[in-house]
Amino acid sequence: MTGNSFVTQLGPDVWYLVLQHVPDRKDLSNLCRVCKELNTFATQFLYRTITVGPPFLDKYAAYFMKLSGEQYKSQWTRWGESLALVRRLAAHHNGNSQVQAHAVAVREIDIKAMRGPEGKPRKPRVTLGPRFEEELPDLVRVLPNLRHVRMLSSTPAFEELFQALHEHPNKPEIHLLKENGSRLVSGHIPGVVTIKAQVSPWEDTPAKPNTVVPDIEKLLFACPNLKSFSLSVRNNYGGCMSPTIHHGVTKTFQFASSNAVTFPPLEFLSLSGYDMSNEEWPHWRDGLDWSRLKNLDLGPDPVRSRGPAMADLLGRFEGHATALRTLTVETWAAEGAETCPPLLSFLESFDTLEELTVKGHFIPVQNLARHRKLRRLRLHCIEVRRPEGSRRPTYGVADLALLDETCPGLETLEIDISRNASGKWSKEVTGTLASSFSNLRDLTLHCEVGLVFDYARQDEPFLPLLDEGLVRAFAEAFFSARGTSRMEKLTIKTGERLRRFPQWHPGYRRVEEKRTREFNTWLQRSDGKVKVEGGKIGLF
């Protein structure tokens, strides 16, 4: 059988399924060269997404990303190649059938950072060409199947590009994924469906106040078709010196008009470090169409005297956000109570969740009773300093049995599990996990390191190191007890990412970094043996 007949015999549907699992562009390029038939299929994936923009700020940034000189040079080589590709595609009307096929294949454009803060040219200076900002609109006009444009920079404004996208027959969706409050907004941008912003309201100058949060507010209401909005407010945390504030700090939306406002039809809302004021809450309460909101993501938040801002938001949202399918709540280690009453009350106010992630707080199983539709559940209580003799709370045999009865459709489960002094797990808990949750495909168990919380010293943990031997023994016992099931993967890990410190890392954090592990295990169907992969991972 020849290569060509083999490609033809499989057909386009099979090749579509195969090629979507080939992420490397070099491999796709090689496949395009195999034969004409395979070139037709592989081209659709090779040119599906094109990326435009310089890779890094400068050699200083590349140094801290530990890039070699050759790696750094290759990044700029690819940048030059992307410019050439843009211009070649934009000029496809010259009759070149191959270039036209490439233009037809493009579905997405990723635009990386083009300029530095305040619109200043990036360093080292990048040669964009005399009309590069005008060339992108020309490119958009000749891509008949364009669906998405993702921008990873607030500058330049790209007003002509927005206009070209608005006039495109497909009305491509625009995703603003790295906003910092510097984008100039002169009118509505109907094509924007996603805004992801991270701002710091603490930096101003004597000549100019800091208006990044109000500017993000303007951008939000300039996008009437917005579906996803994420805002992370970086607060003045850590460091040796406090910033000099010349004009005051504006950390929340201002809502200059006292009249009622109408929010875009948000389906996803993410707020981190956002301390909503009493004055603005009525605008959110009355202006947001809560019935459309399906996904809510809160935290992690900065610590305050009265607790994380996330708790206040949950109290406000209770009784309004009643159609959620996904809820994520995160809190930094030791910056909130282990049990969060507003969160528990919020969970009991509706019954529509299909996915719940809570990290930093303990959720009793009884508070999940209303959410029988849950398919993905991730719960993690952080290892912190506790009174001598006490350990972080985990689910016991009765809790797991109740969880199985309460949420029978669980397919993904992540919970904490305790180890004894020898580093092994409770046989009763292991047996209950193995015999329960019949629909489970993915199970993750998070173990303690056994930290001794001393700030200066790096004392050895009171629990043995989680190594491959312990993991393999546990996985073999687990899969043997579970028998034939839909289970695809068992993950066992230890270590914590939700920690932060105002200045120096304490000694126990260094110990935790050295002992952070993550192992993925699964049962091989061919020979019935347990496969273990993974090991040490870095936290920093």
Side-chain angles (χ1 to χ4, degrees):
M1 181 182 294
T2 65
N4 289 10
S5 60
F6 171 72
V7 172
T8 306
Q9 184 175 354
L10 285 182
D13 293 338
V14 174
W15 279 112
Y16 179 85
L17 295 174
V18 171
L19 291 171
Q20 66 182 347
H21 295 289
V22 183
D24 188 80
R25 295 181 63 84
K26 185 176 180 179
D27 292 336
L28 287 170
S29 179
N30 290 334
L31 288 171
C32 287
R33 296 182 173 92
V34 172
C35 63
K36 290 183 178 180
E37 289 80 3
L38 191 52
N39 178 281
T40 302
F41 302 139
T43 294
Q44 302 300 315
F45 291 86
L46 179 61
Y47 288 91
R48 184 182 186 87
T49 303
I50 59 176
T51 302
V52 180
F56 304 113
L57 286 175
D58 48 32
K59 291 184 177 180
Y60 181 78
Y63 170 79
F64 281 98
M65 297 183 74
K66 299 180 180 180
L67 295 177
S68 67
E70 287 300 319
Q71 289 174 317
Y72 177 72
K73 183 179 179 180
S74 68
Q75 295 288 335
W76 289 100
T77 300
R78 285 199 291 271
W79 156 236
E81 293 172 349
S82 71
L83 284 177
L85 175 62
V86 167
R87 289 161 182 164
R88 181 162 56 89
L89 292 176
H92 90 281
H93 58 271
N94 60 11
N96 187 317
S97 59
Q98 184 181 36
V99 177
Q100 290 177 358
H102 296 167
V104 169
V106 176
R107 300 292 191 277
E108 305 168 338
I109 301 176
D110 290 346
I111 303 176
K112 291 188 175 183
M114 305 300 296
R115 298 187 181 178
E118 303 297 329
K120 297 177 181 178
R122 296 166 60 96
K123 296 180 180 180
R125 189 177 299 274
V126 181
T127 303
L128 298 178
R131 295 182 59 255
F132 182 73
E133 292 181 26
E134 290 77 12
E135 290 174 358
L136 282 179
D138 293 337
L139 172 65
V140 165
R141 296 185 184 102
V142 298
L143 302 179
N145 295 317
L146 186 63
R147 295 291 186 272
H148 300 276
V149 175
R150 291 181 286 265
M151 295 189 175
L152 286 84
S153 174
S154 289
T155 54
F158 281 125
E159 293 182 356
E160 290 188 23
L161 176 59
F162 285 145
Q163 184 62 32
L165 291 168
H166 179 63
E167 295 171 353
H168 194 283
N170 292 339
K171 297 292 188 286
E173 294 183 343
I174 304 171
H175 307 267
L176 307 179
L177 302 181
K178 204 168 183 180
E179 296 300 301
N180 58 13
S182 63
R183 184 177 298 280
L184 301 177
V185 179
S186 58
H188 283 178
I189 316 175
V192 174
V193 298
T194 303
I195 294 176
K196 188 173 183 180
Q198 187 178 62
V199 299
S200 174
W202 292 89
E203 303 167 359
D204 65 358
T205 65
K208 183 181 179 181
N210 187 314
T211 61
V212 291
V213 176
D215 289 340
I216 291 295
E217 177 187 354
K218 293 177 184 177
L219 178 61
L220 167 65
F221 289 101
C223 304
N225 298 313
L226 190 69
K227 296 179 182 178
S228 175
F229 179 67
S230 302
L231 175 59
S232 175
V233 181
R234 299 196 305 271
N235 286 271
N236 185 30
Y237 180 84
C240 300
M241 300 179 61
S242 298
T244 301
I245 306 300
H246 302 89
H247 302 278
V249 179
T250 304
K251 298 187 291 183
T252 60
F253 292 170
Q254 299 302 291
F255 294 102
S257 173
S258 59
N259 298 328
V261 297
T262 300
F263 278 72
L266 296 180
E267 299 176 4
F268 176 92
L269 175 63
S270 175
L271 298 173
S272 176
Y274 189 80
D275 195 358
M276 187 178 294
S277 65
N278 293 328
E279 293 75 20
E280 68 171 304
W281 163 238
H283 294 284
W284 287 82
R285 180 193 62 204
D286 302 332
L288 189 62
D289 186 350
W290 296 94
S291 65
R292 288 179 174 267
L293 190 65
K294 304 301 180 185
N295 304 276
L296 180 62
D297 190 337
L298 300 178
D301 292 317
V303 67
R304 305 175 305 162
S305 58
R306 61 181 187 276
M310 171 271 299
D312 287 349
L313 292 175
L314 288 171
R316 297 182 191 276
F317 292 173
E318 183 177 340
H320 300 283
T322 57
L324 296 178
R325 295 178 183 172
T326 301
L327 173 64
T328 300
V329 174
E330 293 184 335
T331 303
W332 293 107
E335 293 192 12
E338 197 151 73
T339 301
C340 179
L343 173 57
L344 302 182
S345 179
F346 182 76
L347 286 172
E348 295 176 348
S349 67
F350 64 106
D351 60 0
T352 58
L353 279 182
E354 298 176 5
E355 180 172 352
L356 173 63
T357 301
V358 178
K359 297 188 177 182
H361 297 293
F362 180 72
I363 306 295
V365 176
Q366 293 81 355
N367 294 99
L368 301 174
R370 298 198 64 187
H371 299 283
R372 297 185 61 83
K373 300 177 183 177
L374 276 173
R375 295 292 181 268
R376 294 168 292 279
L377 178 62
R378 302 177 183 89
L379 304 176
H380 173 48
C381 199
I382 300 173
E383 183 179 2
V384 296
R385 185 190 302 274
R386 290 183 171 82
E388 187 174 355
S390 65
R391 302 276 293 275
R392 67 174 179 176
T394 58
Y395 287 163
V397 172
D399 296 316
L400 293 173
L402 179 58
L403 180 61
D404 186 25
E405 178 184 349
T406 301
C407 307
L410 282 176
E411 298 176 358
T412 300
L413 176 63
E414 179 177 345
I415 57 173
D416 298 325
I417 190 170
S418 297
R419 295 190 292 161
N420 58 28
S422 62
K424 298 183 179 180
W425 296 266
S426 163
K427 293 183 178 180
E428 292 78 11
V429 171
T430 303
T432 303
L433 282 170
S435 60
S436 306
F437 309 105
S438 58
N439 292 308
L440 202 61
R441 294 179 177 272
D442 191 350
L443 174 63
T444 299
L445 302 176
H446 198 293
C447 309
E448 292 174 296
V449 174
L451 293 174
V452 178
F453 287 90
D454 189 285
Y455 197 92
R457 300 199 309 269
Q458 298 184 27
D459 294 336
E460 286 296 307
F462 60 83
L463 292 175
L465 174 69
L466 183 70
D467 59 20
E468 184 175 336
L470 286 172
V471 171
R472 183 178 295 279
F474 177 88
E476 289 175 348
F478 176 86
F479 284 115
S480 175
R482 190 163 183 84
T484 303
S485 70
R486 303 174 66 187
M487 190 85 170
E488 296 176 355
K489 186 176 67 171
L490 168 65
T491 300
I492 302 176
K493 63 182 181 180
T494 188
E496 185 56 60
R497 293 186 180 276
L498 282 171
R499 296 193 197 277
R500 62 174 186 169
F501 306 94
Q503 293 183 15
W504 311 116
H505 285 188
Y508 68 82
R509 181 56 165 170
R510 300 297 178 184
V511 175
E512 184 174 42
E513 181 195 10
K514 295 176 182 177
R515 289 180 169 252
T516 294
R517 299 289 187 275
E518 181 170 328
F519 294 93
N520 295 315
T521 73
W522 61 91
L523 187 65
Q524 298 182 118
R525 306 300 182 188
S526 57
D527 56 10
K529 294 183 179 180
V530 172
K531 179 75 172 179
V532 180
E533 287 186 353
K536 183 177 180 180
I537 58 174
L539 289 175
F540 308 121

